Amino acid sequence: MLLSQKSARTALKNALTLCALIPVLHGCAGSAALTGGINRLPPAPRTPGAIITDEYICIPREEAAELLLWIERAEDL
């Protein structure tokens, strides 16, 4: 299936957005503040089932639950 130029740009934008989010979700952005100690935050859970649309990032229920628990744990540190 051929994509129109607008659809191709949107798909590229979505792919780049996901690529930009991956390091953030893996804790790379905040690792400088968490360089040692007992309360070191583990890497964020992977979300291989995520689907990106024009307006949303859809994550399967089980993966979203793991990500939410990780976020809550990170906020407690």
Side-chain angles (χ1 to χ4, degrees), residues 38-62:
I38 298 172
N39 294 331
R40 178 131 196 233
L41 185 64
R46 295 183 180 259
T47 56
I51 299 172
I52 299 176
T53 66
D54 287 336
E55 299 178 21
Y56 302 102
I57 297 176
C58 303
I59 302 174
R61 190 175 309 149
E62 296 82 16

Side-chain angles (χ1 to χ4, degrees), residues 21-22 24-27 41-48 50 57-75:
L21 287 174
I22 289 171
V24 174
L25 291 176
H26 284 277
L41 185 64
R46 295 183 180 259
T47 56
I57 297 176
C58 303
I59 302 174
R61 190 175 309 149
E62 296 82 16
E63 294 172 11
E66 290 178 24
L67 187 57
L68 181 60
L69 289 172
W70 182 86
I71 291 170
E72 290 175 352
R73 191 174 330 138
E75 290 176 344

Side-chain angles (χ1 to χ4, degrees), residues 3-37:
L3 296 174
S4 69
Q5 191 172 7
K6 183 177 179 182
S7 296
R9 272 194 223 127
T10 301
L12 180 61
K13 181 179 125 185
N14 290 339
L16 291 175
T17 301
L18 182 60
C19 289
L21 287 174
I22 289 171
V24 174
L25 291 176
H26 284 277
C28 293
S31 63
L34 303 169
T35 55

